Amino acid sequence: MKRESFKSRLGFLLVSAGCAIGIGNVWRFPYVAGQNGGGIFVLFYLIFLIAMGLPVLTMEFAVGRASRKSAVLGYKALEKEGSKWHIHGWIAMFGCYMLMMYYTTVSGWMVSYFFKFLKGEFQTGMTADDTAAVFSNLLADPGQMAFWMILTVILGFFVCSRGLQNGLEKISKIMMSALLILIVVLAVHSITLQGAAEGVKFYLVPNLDTVAETGLKNVITEAMNQAFFTLSLGVAAMEIFGSYMGKDHSLAGEGARICGLDTFVAIMSGLIIFPACFSYGVEVDAGPSLIFITLPNVFVNMAGGRIWGCLFFLFMTFASFSTVMAVFENIMSFCMDMFHWSRNKAALINGVIILLASLPCVLGYNVWSSLHLIGGRDVLDSEDFIVSNLLLPVGSLIYLLFSVTKWGWGFDRYIDEANSGEGLKISKKLKPYFQFILPLLILFILILILVLLLVVLILILVLILVLFLLFQLGKPQVFTRNVIVRVAPKGIFIVLDSCGIIFSFICQIPSVVIGLLRKLDVLLFGNTREDSVSGPYQRISFIGDVVAPLFYIRRRKIELSGGIIGIFLQRFFI
């Protein structure tokens, strides 16, 4: 069957930008920028967006455009015979399903609040407690939560069932055009309020005092994280649109336009939020409380607040629903490619799956409110943790390694695909950066996660070893070193030793990076105080020095080499 394609270049750009633009652009970026030096944070953010986000974005697009297939088959079409890169395609699709398990609920909140303002549920003169109660009542009502979630899912799959051009592309053009108009109107209104200038100054004017207080390394880390996660890379959400695009334009040029639209919405969101909050003396925060408590509190005290509240939540509905439709299209395309389903069948079956899978998030705020999963997080935050902190960065690193290493697709093939067509080209001279420096930047973001995963892996291996010994020996007994070496397979020791030395090495990296950033901080700002960030990294380094050698069961020379590596890294860099 012939591969579908976008009707126009504008359609591709708006659909892809709609996938990237989401609630994080509104409820996280402005707050983080304001708390980390305003314009200085934005400058670092743009640097990392170009240095990290844009290259990985072109890699996802390149895999899709070269293969003309969805995630799993896209890998299979490009990977070397016998390699297993396509396994990540299955993991990426799992990430898309998990993302929709909670994103549909949050999108439903936006639609709900649009209608609440439209019906006049928010009245002039309401107190902050009154506006907070509206959100609390929404979360406490599983019926209301489920209704808006189901409406979001049904509308999303209905649009996608109409086809790529007649459904997703047509509706995305309308919604994204309206979104861009709305955000400009809302920003202009906000900055014309009395006292709004202070909000603009706090948000965008570079503030060296704030940077010195926060710490340069914290500002850089926050900017790196925001730039990396803003494009939702790593779960093939962008790869699918690469498979629909033509070869008339280079991928770097198209990616730069998408990054530009995403950044425009993020910055303009701050121009809506900060001036309005400063004008009415409301403290700015982040996350759901900013959108559903703080801003409604501003609107109810504003002239024409009902209208402005409607427009704002219409904008938020478009921002969230554009992401929902884009990810639904990825899920449906995957099923159509893998199982040869029709578009309508893929919409129907996946609609039922997403509806059922989204119920735990809905019930997590009421019926299952006592359920806390990862690190004490509720259902929504646990699902978000898995997607944002594991699947996105790991997936991005895999796409990067697949595209630029000889074990994957290969840098030369990637660069030829990326530079095919008119527009901005990627220089082949950047090959060392793509192969060595960029992976280290992504690895820095992954460092805490890798430590956690290695600890879990080692514990699992130790448990397997103990169970194996119990099974082999037939009865419990004291596991002396001689008993373990005699009975256990050598392969387990090799894995444990390898995990131990990797664990020890990785635990040193945060201290090295923090040490370098601290030196730069002292050089630029004379800031010699300890801060809240370096402490956890130092504790991780301590774990690497003290705990990791405990896992070296029998190879003393490996234990010694791990200790030497740790000492060298700390003494040389810090």
Side-chain angles (χ1 to χ4, degrees):
M1 188 172 72
K2 184 179 178 182
R3 189 70 173 175
E4 293 181 273
S5 61
F6 287 106
K7 188 175 182 179
S8 65
R9 181 188 185 190
L10 178 63
F12 160 73
L13 291 174
L14 291 180
V15 169
S16 300
C19 182
I21 296 169
I23 53 180
N25 293 71
V26 182
W27 76 21
R28 188 175 191 276
F29 178 88
Y31 175 80
V32 174
Q35 295 296 317
N36 287 276
I40 295 177
F41 170 86
V42 175
L43 176 61
F44 279 119
Y45 166 79
L46 293 174
I47 292 172
F48 285 119
L49 187 64
I50 296 171
M52 296 177 62
L54 180 57
V56 179
L57 176 60
T58 64
M59 290 167 191
E60 277 207 36
F61 280 151
V63 171
R65 191 168 73 170
S67 66
R68 311 295 292 176
K69 300 179 187 299
S70 56
V72 176
L73 295 182
Y75 272 122
K76 285 187 174 182
L78 303 179
E79 69 186 5
K80 291 181 173 63
E81 185 176 354
S83 59
K84 303 297 181 182
W85 292 95
H86 62 273
I87 294 175
H88 173 249
W90 291 98
I91 298 173
M93 296 315 304
F94 169 76
C96 288
Y97 279 99
M98 177 158 282
L99 175 63
M100 290 297 99
M101 285 167 60
Y102 65 91
Y103 208 95
T104 51
T105 298
V106 177
S107 183
W109 293 349
M110 306 300 177
V111 183
S112 170
Y113 262 61
F114 167 72
F115 281 103
K116 288 181 187 297
F117 270 97
L118 190 65
K119 293 186 300 182
E121 188 170 332
F122 288 94
Q123 300 289 336
T124 302
M126 291 178 68
T127 65
D129 291 337
D130 294 332
T131 56
V134 175
F135 188 51
S136 298
N137 293 336
L138 172 65
L139 297 182
D141 187 350
Q144 187 180 174
M145 290 256 287
F147 172 79
W148 295 114
M149 179 273 290
I150 292 170
L151 179 65
T152 299
V153 173
I154 291 175
L155 288 177
F157 277 112
F158 174 75
V159 170
C160 292
S161 71
R162 307 302 298 169
L164 178 64
Q165 293 185 5
N166 295 325
L168 177 64
E169 183 176 359
K170 181 183 291 186
I171 298 301
S172 292
K173 280 183 178 179
I174 297 171
M175 290 181 60
M176 291 302 295
S177 299
L179 181 151
L180 295 173
I181 294 172
L182 281 172
I183 199 170
V184 171
V185 171
L186 288 165
V188 169
H189 170 260
S190 187
I191 61 179
T192 56
L193 294 172
Q194 185 176 2
E198 288 299 315
V200 176
K201 180 180 177 181
F202 175 79
Y203 176 43
L204 290 180
V205 175
N207 190 330
L208 293 177
D209 292 336
T210 302
V211 174
E213 180 181 348
T214 305
L216 180 63
K217 56 183 171 295
N218 299 341
V219 175
I220 292 175
T221 302
E222 288 288 356
M224 184 186 297
N225 288 337
Q226 183 65 31
F228 183 77
F229 291 114
T230 188
L231 298 174
S232 300
L233 302 171
V235 291
M238 290 297 185
E239 186 267 357
I240 190 63
F241 302 127
S243 74
Y244 293 147
M245 69 184 296
K247 293 182 179 288
D248 298 331
H249 301 281
S250 67
L251 298 181
E254 303 301 85
R257 289 173 174 83
I258 293 167
C259 291
L261 284 172
D262 182 80
T263 303
F264 173 77
V265 171
I267 292 176
M268 292 296 285
S269 297
L271 291 178
I272 296 173
I273 294 168
F274 280 104
C277 289
F278 272 71
S279 179
Y280 288 91
V282 177
E283 185 176 353
V284 181
D285 51 7
S289 61
L290 168 64
I291 302 300
F292 300 107
I293 298 176
T294 301
L295 289 178
N297 188 38
V298 171
F299 292 135
V300 297
N301 290 287
M302 182 186 295
R306 181 176 175 181
I307 296 174
W308 294 113
C310 281
L311 292 177
F312 176 79
F313 281 102
L314 182 61
F315 153 65
M316 289 301 299
T317 297
F318 289 164
S320 60
F321 193 65
S322 62
T323 301
V324 168
M325 291 192 303
V327 178
F328 281 178
E329 174 64 26
N330 190 15
I331 291 172
M332 288 175 54
S333 179
F334 163 75
C335 293
M336 291 159 61
D337 285 350
M338 289 297 299
F339 310 123
H340 307 291
W341 292 350
S342 67
R343 182 169 280 272
N344 287 333
K345 182 178 180 179
L348 179 61
I349 293 177
N350 282 293
V352 174
I353 292 173
I354 296 296
L355 282 174
L356 295 175
S358 299
L359 288 177
C361 181
V362 170
L363 301 177
Y365 286 99
N366 35 75
V367 179
W368 294 348
S369 59
S370 60
L371 178 62
H372 297 285
L373 302 173
I374 301 175
R377 296 173 175 85
D378 58 31
V379 176
L380 187 151
D381 288 338
S382 295
E383 292 170 342
D384 181 58
F385 175 84
I386 293 173
V387 174
S388 298
N389 294 285
L390 294 176
L391 299 181
L392 292 184
V394 171
S396 296
L397 185 59
I398 292 174
Y399 267 114
L400 169 61
L401 296 177
F402 177 72
S403 298
V404 303
T405 64
K406 62 181 180 181
W407 300 284
W409 188 22
F411 179 82
D412 292 337
R413 295 185 183 90
Y414 152 69
I415 208 72
D416 289 342
E417 181 64 43
N419 288 337
S420 176
E422 300 178 354
L424 183 66
K425 307 292 185 182
I426 301 174
S427 173
K428 291 186 176 182
K429 295 179 181 179
L430 292 174
K431 183 176 181 178
Y433 171 76
F434 280 12
Q435 288 186 326
F436 302 108
I437 299 176
L438 185 54
L440 289 177
L441 290 175
I442 298 176
L443 189 61
F444 175 76
I445 296 175
L446 279 168
I447 212 69
L448 291 176
I449 302 166
L450 288 174
V451 170
L452 176 62
L453 290 178
L454 280 170
V455 170
V456 173
L457 176 61
I458 291 171
L459 292 176
I460 292 174
L461 289 171
V462 171
L463 178 61
I464 292 174
L465 175 61
V466 171
L467 293 176
F468 178 83
L469 290 171
L470 289 173
F471 177 78
Q472 288 284 46
L473 297 175
K475 60 180 179 178
Q477 57 179 280
V478 177
F479 295 138
T480 65
R481 183 169 177 267
N482 291 332
V483 171
I484 294 175
V485 171
R486 176 172 52 84
V487 178
K490 295 181 179 179
I492 290 183
F493 292 117
I494 296 173
V495 175
L496 281 171
D497 288 342
S498 300
C499 287
I501 193 168
I502 293 171
F503 181 77
S504 179
F505 181 78
I506 286 179
C507 284
Q508 309 305 322
I509 297 177
S511 287
V512 172
V513 175
I514 290 298
L516 292 174
L517 289 177
R518 185 183 294 118
K519 291 182 184 298
L520 187 60
D521 201 9
V522 172
L523 180 65
L524 294 179
F525 300 104
N527 185 9
T528 57
R529 69 174 184 83
E530 293 292 327
D531 55 51
S532 58
V533 173
S534 62
Y537 283 101
Q538 290 171 342
R539 285 192 289 274
I540 291 172
S541 176
F542 175 77
I543 292 174
D545 289 337
V546 178
V547 179
L550 298 178
F551 297 110
Y552 304 146
I553 294 178
R554 65 173 189 153
R555 286 198 171 88
R556 296 299 178 186
K557 59 181 180 180
I558 293 182
E559 177 180 333
L560 178 61
S561 64
I564 291 174
I565 289 174
I567 293 171
F568 170 77
L569 286 172
Q570 286 200 17
R571 297 297 177 265
F572 185 77
F573 287 104
I574 300 179

